[in-house]
Amino acid sequence: MDEIGSAFRLTDVDIAAPVAQEVLVEVKASGLCHSDLTASSLGGWPVPAILGHEISGVVAGVGPNVTRFAAGDHVVASLQSHCNDCEACLRDDINMCTNPGFVARAEGEEPRLSLDGEPVTAVANLGGFAEQVLLHENNLVRIDRPIPHEVASILGCGVLAGAGAVLNAAEVPEGATVAVFGCGGLGLAAIQAALLVGASRIIAVDIADDKLEYAKRFGATDVVNSAAQDPAAAIKELTDGGADYVFDFVGRPEATKQAYESVGRAGELGVIGINKPGATLQIDIGPEFIWNQVRIRPIFNGSTNFVRDVPRFVELYNEGRFKLDELVSRTISLEEVNDAYAEMTKHIGRTVVTFP
């Protein structure tokens, strides 16, 4: 990206040799996440920049201080930059690392990426829409039993953010009722996670009938088209008063409000979808608000630890207990990224860039 909000263009950039704890990765697959589209319009980092944060690939080289990776390793990258040394990291909560800038090169050092002698930003310290990435080893996890790269790539964000919201953040118990607003890649992963823990009812909510039908393949017991009916009323009828856990993957205030109104007494709303800056949630906080005791929990990246959880999902996939192949709806070339983002809402599941 040359300017905030501009389309992506394909060009060659210079990439430095790995130093210290850096790893050079040959990218084999890079997933398209809606948050990259949001980030491309909002900015907050220097341009030119390379986006893309769902990466699977093979290690091509390592810096002299790398201890966990070697050439030939199959790896998945994550935007969970962390230092491994702060209080949050030491309690296994790398989502809340207080020094995520630890993974970047120091100011004044040669940039990892450059174009015509000027630095290029790798957004989230990754920059995955590229044939190679150079990143800190703390942004990587090795897959000891390799799986197809196109499905491995979505483990770095989509699966962790969706399934992690159910398993890690909410810790949904067996027998609970669950509603999922938004049946894209993250929502489908959440539905599978609810099935995995033994939820008694899993209600999928979307405005597209084809996505709702697809959600049934991942474990949804009921579907609600929120464009055709009031989802809160439908969920309350299906669950005798409201779902125990509701997850909002949509990222629009009106959907978040509907999701909140779908929660039963003493239940929980998990908000994962990213709204635009300045968006507000307006809810009634009269006596019923106190009486119902509904919790609202913002959830970033599934409250996960990718170093622990990516291998966990690889194992579940290899055991046939978690669908990944079906989450990837199509693969494209790097040249097709702009068109793919323009058509994102038309496709079910994840679109993934693949490389030879």
Side-chain angles (χ1 to χ4, degrees):
M1 282 187 61
D2 293 301
E3 300 292 341
I4 301 303
S6 70
F8 301 110
R9 73 179 176 95
L10 196 63
T11 191
D12 291 324
V13 300
D14 294 315
I15 187 165
V19 299
Q21 290 177 268
E22 292 178 346
V23 179
L24 180 67
V25 176
E26 292 282 349
V27 178
K28 296 299 181 181
S30 187
L32 271 65
C33 180
H34 195 274
S35 59
D36 273 316
L37 192 60
T38 302
S40 70
S41 63
L42 299 178
W45 22 259
V47 289
I50 301 174
L51 283 88
H53 62 267
E54 291 188 339
I55 304 167
S56 173
V58 178
V59 172
V62 298
N65 299 333
V66 170
T67 59
R68 302 194 303 273
F69 303 96
D73 285 349
H74 284 232
V75 291
V76 168
S78 170
L79 49 69
Q80 283 187 308
S81 298
H82 60 286
C83 67
N84 273 341
D85 195 45
C86 69
E87 183 178 340
C89 286
L90 292 175
R91 66 170 184 264
D92 200 32
D93 189 9
I94 63 175
N95 252 333
M96 299 302 292
C97 176
T98 57
N99 186 26
F102 172 82
V103 302
R105 284 193 175 184
E107 188 174 347
E109 286 188 293
E110 176 192 4
R112 288 174 179 163
L113 303 173
S114 58
L115 178 62
D116 298 327
E118 297 297 322
V120 173
T121 301
V123 177
N125 298 299
L126 299 179
F129 294 151
E131 294 172 320
Q132 292 184 326
V133 292
L134 180 62
L135 67 177
H136 195 283
E137 67 175 334
N138 283 9
N139 287 105
L140 289 172
V141 60
R142 184 176 63 248
I143 296 180
D144 292 325
R145 184 179 172 188
I147 63 176
H149 286 290
E150 61 269 24
V151 297
S153 67
I154 64 174
L155 290 172
C157 174
V159 170
L160 293 188
V166 174
L167 301 175
N168 298 323
E171 296 182 319
V172 173
E174 183 179 0
T177 55
V178 172
V180 174
F181 280 67
C183 296
L186 276 68
L188 295 175
I191 288 169
Q192 288 197 81
L195 179 66
L196 194 66
V197 299
S200 61
R201 198 151 206 160
I202 306 169
I203 305 165
V205 182
D206 206 288
I207 60 173
D209 285 331
D210 57 346
K211 290 186 178 181
L212 292 172
E213 283 301 310
Y214 204 61
K216 294 178 182 178
R217 296 176 55 183
F218 291 86
T221 58
D222 305 271
V223 297
V224 175
N225 187 320
S226 55
Q229 59 182 313
D230 177 358
I235 290 168
K236 286 178 178 178
E237 183 177 349
L238 287 166
T239 57
D240 193 24
D244 299 319
Y245 296 89
V246 179
F247 299 92
D248 168 30
F249 293 97
V250 178
R252 291 200 310 270
E254 59 271 25
T256 305
K257 184 175 182 179
Q258 290 175 331
Y260 171 78
E261 293 169 347
S262 303
V263 185
R265 285 201 71 203
E268 181 172 297
L269 168 63
V271 182
I272 303 95
I274 298 176
N275 283 273
K276 294 180 179 179
T280 58
L281 173 63
Q282 295 184 342
I283 56 177
D284 186 340
I285 57 171
E288 195 169 314
F289 171 79
I290 302 298
W291 185 73
N292 281 333
Q293 301 183 75
V294 170
R295 302 178 300 279
I296 301 176
R297 178 198 291 269
I299 303 172
F300 170 65
N301 207 35
S303 295
T304 191
N305 179 325
F306 80 97
V307 178
R308 174 198 66 213
D309 289 342
V310 166
R312 176 187 185 188
F313 282 107
V314 170
E315 183 177 351
L316 288 170
Y317 170 76
N318 284 326
E319 292 173 352
R321 298 171 61 200
F322 203 92
K323 299 178 188 293
L324 292 179
D325 300 297
E326 295 86 347
L327 283 175
V328 178
S329 57
R330 62 172 177 159
T331 58
I332 62 170
S333 67
L334 193 59
E335 290 84 354
E336 298 174 280
V337 168
N338 284 312
D339 291 339
Y341 269 120
E343 299 171 356
M344 177 169 275
T345 58
K346 300 178 183 178
H347 291 272
I348 302 171
R350 232 21 172 205
T351 297
V352 177
V353 176
T354 56
F355 298 85

